[in-house]
């Protein structure tokens, strides 16, 4: 059963964080040759880390540290204490392996149970988990969480959409956990089978994660599939899903600060940024035993809000992930993410999601041009309609990105497909 | 009513040639054409001899194509026609000529335009050329 111990005042959370951090640093220094060397090299002894404020003296841990120490070089506990290994597929080189002790698994379940609970789920719910089960952490993480909550779990995993819909209907699924894009696909498929998903299914809550999504998608999901759509955040290095979750207020995702210390840093300099500023999230896993990480650079860009939420929880909230640092472009000193442009394109009629960003330097000034294909369904015989579309796009881009961008409208199907993001961004600046 | 095609094209060398090439290859004759451009793109408007075939073929080529209804009037009495329309408050959005002595006009109120033109004894052609 889930305990309500996570509901605590902020002061208590902060105290817990410092205490757990101290013991984590001791543990990794004792248990992990990797971290012992890291700390020694930085001239830090475990005694130097007294509170959360001392954290910034510790070097960051990165994804390449995990790859370089493949498969199990990052453990902080003897291998015999492990009960689980997950691996994420690396597109290049070695996969990232993550390891869990029994207590890690139990904590992971607890955090996912909290996530479900703050979205409004109870033990009376029937939770269908349509994330992949297996090496990917999504399926099992929410599965444990739902069981911990005392709910009934349907471990549907991915695929077999027809069967998913039949199960939802026949078993009375009330909570669906899947990617937002699969959620939309489920709604569409249900319609194709002659069902009205909002009428014939009883989906109260949707737990959508594993890929970035927008308010636009939330609106669609709530119109087409579920009563209430919630964003969940996680990554296997930090356990898997359940690191942060949107409560019913839907004004950011609560990050479980009694398990994770979050810092927002400048992705270029590594400097810790003041609250409210946009930066890369670095996470320290203060409760993990098997493979804890100090200041792990998630490469996800967000903003941290430490104010108490209207739902009453004082665990800080992160904003929806704005983008990945890998995708970040600096134009005239301003961070621009392709995801921001994608969101604008998705919200507008008569253009497609197929675009290309061209960055050029005109004297000392960077210039951004967004080349986008118009939709084949754009029906007009008037040039003014097209000019108007271009102007509206330019205005939207300026409002969202805070820089001027010019728009070039292209004929449908002229941008090369399936060539990854490299093709999407053409940086012609000579630095 | 006469149907006109309009196609969105990028304003760069070869785009119009590509469109014309596709029409020619499929044996479609262009009876009239007008181009309007703004910056990096433009709209090509045209009247062709086989609407259905032209439409299918352009969609197959993934073109952003639109059909609109237009009027075909006598080129020789254009001044008279334009005046007649202005008197009844009909606006001409755009116009271009055909090589058979006719003009294509797009108006904001077709019914009113046809009525005014016929009452003034001016021809509105039911066919293209
Ligand atoms: Zn809240």
């Amino acid at each position: 059963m889930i305990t309500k111990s996570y509901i605590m005042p902020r002061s208590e959370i902060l105290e817990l964080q410092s205490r757990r951090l101290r013991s984590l640093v001791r543990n990794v220094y004792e248990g992990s040759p990797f971290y012992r060397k890291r700390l020694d090299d930085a001239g830090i002894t475990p005694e130097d880390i007294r509170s959360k404020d001392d954290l910034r003296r510790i070097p960051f841990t990165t994804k390449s540290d995990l790859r370089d120490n493949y498969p199990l070089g990052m453990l902080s506990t003897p291998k015999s204490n492990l009960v689980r290994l997950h691996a994420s597929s690396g597109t290049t080189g070695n996969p990232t392996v993550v390891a869990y002790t029994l207590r890690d698994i139990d904590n992971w379940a607890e955090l996912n149970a909290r996530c479900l609970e703050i979205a409004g789920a109870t033990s009376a719910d029937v939770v269908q988990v349509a994330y992949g089960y297996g090496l990917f952490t999504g399926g099992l993480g929410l599965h444990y969480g739902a069981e911990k909550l005392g709910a009934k779990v349907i471990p549907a995993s991915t695929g077999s959409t027809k069967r998913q819909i039949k199960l939802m209907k026949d078993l009375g699924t009330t909570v669906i956990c899947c990617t937002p894009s699969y959620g939309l696909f489920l709604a569409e498929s249900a319609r194709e089978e002659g069902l009205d998903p909002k009428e014939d299914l009883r989906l109260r809550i949707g737990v959508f994660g594993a890929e970035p999504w927008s308010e636009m998608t939330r609106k669609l999901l709530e119109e087409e599939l579920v009563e209430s759509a919630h964003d969940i955040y996680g990554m296997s290095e930090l356990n898997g899903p359940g690191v942060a979750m949107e409560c019913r207020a839907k004004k950011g995702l609560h990050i479980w600060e009694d398990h994770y210390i979050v810092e927002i840093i400048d992705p270029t300099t590594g400097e810790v940024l003041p609250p409210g500023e946009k930066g890369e999230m670095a996470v320290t896993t203060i409760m993990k035993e098997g493979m804890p990480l100090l200041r792990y650079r998630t490469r996800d860009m967000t903003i941290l809000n430490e104010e108490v939420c209207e739902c009453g929880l004082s665990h800080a909230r992160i904003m929806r992930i704005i983008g990945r640092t890998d995708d970040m472009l600096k134009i005239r000193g301003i961070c621009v993410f392709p995801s921001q442009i994608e969101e604008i394109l998705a919200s507008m009629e008569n253009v497609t999601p197929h675009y290309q960003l061209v960055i050029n330097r005109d004297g000392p000034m960077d210039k951004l041009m967004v080349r986008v294909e118009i939709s084949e369904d754009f029906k007009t015989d008037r040039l003014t309609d097209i000019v108007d579309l271009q102007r509206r796009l330019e205005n939207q881009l300026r409002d969202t990105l805070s820089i001027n961008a010019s728009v070039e409208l292209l004929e449908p199907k002229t941008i090369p497909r399936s060539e990854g993001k490299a093709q999407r961004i053409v940086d012609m600046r000579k630095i | 009513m006469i149907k006109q095609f309009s196609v969105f094209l990028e304003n760069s060398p070869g785009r119009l040639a590509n469109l014309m090439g596709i029409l020619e290859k499929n044996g479609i004759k262009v009876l009239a054409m007008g181009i309007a451009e703004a910056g990096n793109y433009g709209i090509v408007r045209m009247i062709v001899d086989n609407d259905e075939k032209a439409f299918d073929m352009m969609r197959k080529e993934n073109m952003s194509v639109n059909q609109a209804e237009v009027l075909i009037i006598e080129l020789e009495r254009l001044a008279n026609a334009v005046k007649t329309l202005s008197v009844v408050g009909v606006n001409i959005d755009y116009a271009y000529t055909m090589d058979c002595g006719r003009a294509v006009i797009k108006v904001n109120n077709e019914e009113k335009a046809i009525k005014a033109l016929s009452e003034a004894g001016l021809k509105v052609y039911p066919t293209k050329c």
Side-chain angles (χ1 to χ4, degrees):
Chain A
M1 273 293 128
I2 181 173
T3 62
K4 297 281 180 186
S5 66
Y6 68 94
I7 303 166
M8 60 184 112
R10 183 134 194 95
S11 57
E12 204 173 307
I13 293 176
L14 296 175
E15 204 193 293
L16 259 182
Q17 284 190 323
S18 285
R19 195 166 76 224
R20 287 177 174 173
L21 176 65
R22 284 195 294 272
S23 95
L24 173 75
V25 174
R26 269 198 312 273
N27 290 347
V28 300
Y29 195 78
E30 293 305 318
S32 156
F34 169 85
Y35 273 123
R36 176 182 284 258
K37 185 168 185 309
R38 258 292 147 93
L39 294 173
D40 283 345
D41 288 350
I44 297 167
T45 65
E47 290 69 40
D48 292 335
I49 308 301
R50 303 303 312 153
S51 75
K52 200 176 150 183
D53 291 333
D54 297 324
L55 192 56
R56 61 186 69 187
R57 300 181 52 191
I58 299 174
F60 293 110
T61 307
T62 63
K63 183 109 180 166
S64 29
D65 289 325
L66 269 63
R67 285 214 191 94
D68 295 346
N69 291 281
Y70 177 84
L72 292 173
M74 300 283 292
L75 295 185
S76 285
T77 195
K79 207 171 152 188
S80 57
N81 289 339
L82 300 179
V83 299
R84 175 77 59 76
L85 300 163
H86 276 278
S88 69
S89 55
T91 40
T92 52
N94 287 328
T96 309
V97 176
V98 289
Y100 306 70
T101 65
L102 199 54
R103 199 189 80 175
D104 287 337
I105 296 280
D106 198 46
N107 281 331
W108 186 26
E110 162 82 24
L111 298 185
N112 277 283
R114 291 181 190 180
C115 288
L116 289 162
E117 189 168 73
I118 65 167
T122 70
S123 59
D125 277 298
V126 178
V127 181
Q128 187 157 331
V129 180
Y131 286 112
Y133 282 65
L135 283 176
F136 175 65
T137 49
L140 287 167
L142 275 150
H143 181 109
Y144 296 144
E147 281 186 352
K148 187 96 175 172
L149 187 66
K152 285 134 278 294
V153 188
I154 305 171
S157 196
T158 51
S160 318
T161 305
K162 272 196 172 170
R163 194 180 60 193
Q164 299 261 9
I165 294 164
K166 184 168 170 56
L167 288 170
M168 281 184 210
K169 200 162 168 290
D170 297 347
L171 302 179
T173 302
T174 53
V175 178
I176 176 77
C177 307
C178 63
T179 63
S181 49
Y182 191 63
L184 292 173
F185 183 68
L186 276 173
E188 201 185 299
S189 307
R191 284 212 177 275
E192 273 167 22
E193 283 179 40
L195 296 173
D196 176 353
K198 285 298 285 270
E199 283 293 316
D200 302 323
L201 305 175
R202 276 149 291 179
L203 299 172
R204 299 198 307 119
I205 297 165
V207 179
F208 300 110
E211 63 190 29
W213 52 295
S214 65
E215 281 307 310
M216 273 280 298
T217 309
R218 186 194 319 272
K219 202 167 150 265
L220 274 176
L221 286 165
E222 291 184 350
E223 273 167 16
E224 296 291 326
L225 187 70
V226 297
E227 261 171 57
S228 189
H230 297 257
D231 196 0
I232 187 166
Y233 175 81
M235 59 172 61
S236 62
E237 297 94 309
L238 307 176
N239 274 336
V243 175
M245 176 77 182
E246 259 179 346
C247 66
R248 276 177 286 183
K250 296 178 192 165
K251 289 180 181 160
L253 290 76
H254 287 287
I255 183 147
W256 303 116
E257 288 187 289
D258 52 335
H259 286 246
Y260 302 103
I261 296 179
V262 179
E263 296 168 286
I264 301 296
I265 62 167
D266 180 317
T268 322
T269 65
E271 215 176 300
V272 178
L273 298 173
E277 282 201 31
K278 180 166 80 181
E280 180 183 351
M281 179 163 57
V283 179
T284 301
T285 61
I286 44 180
M287 281 296 273
K288 293 232 310 172
E289 284 183 336
M291 205 177 113
L293 299 172
L294 297 176
R295 306 190 84 199
Y296 183 65
R297 293 189 63 154
T298 61
R299 297 189 285 181
D300 284 326
M301 296 286 291
T302 186
I303 294 169
L304 190 68
N305 178 359
E306 296 184 346
E307 284 164 34
V308 173
C309 179
E310 60 192 65
C311 77
L313 275 180
S314 50
H315 292 268
R317 282 164 289 162
I318 54 169
M319 285 225 337
R320 217 178 249 295
I321 302 302
I322 303 160
R324 305 274 296 161
T325 54
D326 317 56
D327 303 332
M328 188 180 73
L329 299 163
K330 274 234 169 160
I331 300 168
R332 264 175 259 162
I334 291 174
C335 302
V336 172
F337 293 95
S339 58
Q340 294 174 292
I341 290 152
E342 280 158 29
E343 196 161 324
I344 293 171
L345 296 180
S347 72
M348 289 190 70
E349 277 178 32
N350 299 327
V351 289
T352 64
H354 303 290
Y355 69 95
Q356 206 172 43
L357 304 182
V358 182
I359 309 149
N360 221 324
R361 189 159 280 173
D362 185 12
M365 284 285 267
D366 294 340
K367 295 190 99 171
L368 172 65
M369 179 164 71
V370 180
R371 309 178 76 218
V372 58
E373 289 177 13
I374 66 161
S375 160
E376 280 176 51
D377 302 320
F378 186 21
K379 299 239 174 288
T380 184
D381 61 331
R382 298 164 59 95
L383 200 55
T384 44
D385 291 343
I386 305 175
V387 175
D388 181 57
L389 174 67
Q390 183 188 353
R391 294 282 168 267
R392 275 187 296 130
L393 252 173
E394 285 173 345
N395 290 342
Q396 270 283 326
L397 287 165
R398 193 185 49 237
D399 291 349
T400 310
L401 308 178
S402 314
I403 56 167
N404 285 318
S406 60
V407 167
E408 205 174 273
L409 298 174
L410 306 177
E411 292 168 38
K413 305 260 164 72
T414 47
I415 294 176
R417 297 294 193 269
S418 74
E419 293 184 40
K421 68 181 175 223
Q423 275 297 107
R424 291 220 136 158
I425 296 160
V426 185
D427 199 337
M428 310 213 286
R429 288 178 291 189
K430 293 193 175 57
I431 300 167
Chain B
M1 203 64 84
I2 306 295
K3 285 262 198 313
Q4 162 206 267
F5 287 99
S6 56
V7 182
F8 175 97
L9 281 187
E10 283 162 46
N11 189 5
S12 60
R15 298 314 302 152
L16 186 61
N18 177 53
L19 172 64
M20 292 301 142
I22 290 164
L23 293 169
E24 191 176 38
K25 197 175 71 198
N26 287 276
I28 295 159
K29 255 178 81 180
V30 178
L31 307 173
M33 187 180 81
I35 299 178
E37 58 83 33
N40 83 298
Y41 51 78
I43 284 188
V44 177
R45 305 184 182 109
M46 57 196 173
I47 308 284
V48 299
D49 65 347
N50 186 340
D51 288 351
E52 211 167 306
K53 192 170 172 192
F55 186 78
D56 288 349
M57 186 261 320
M58 284 189 274
R59 287 308 301 235
K60 217 178 86 202
E61 296 286 335
N62 301 312
M63 290 179 174
S64 174
V65 57
N66 173 60
Q67 281 184 298
E69 288 175 348
V70 290
L71 304 180
I72 294 182
I73 60 173
E74 277 176 281
L75 188 55
E76 205 167 63
R77 296 169 75 187
L78 187 62
N80 197 342
V82 170
K83 195 170 170 224
T84 303
L85 292 175
S86 76
V87 169
V88 295
V90 170
N91 190 55
I92 299 174
D93 292 336
Y94 52 79
Y96 48 101
T97 59
M98 303 183 79
D99 65 359
C100 51
R102 298 176 185 185
V104 181
I105 59 170
K106 167 76 179 178
V107 293
N108 63 345
N109 187 332
E110 281 143 26
E111 218 173 295
K112 210 167 161 185
I114 294 170
K115 189 165 171 280
L117 291 169
S118 342
E119 278 171 11
L122 296 159
K123 265 188 207 139
V124 178
Y125 292 101
T127 55
K128 288 166 183 168
C129 250

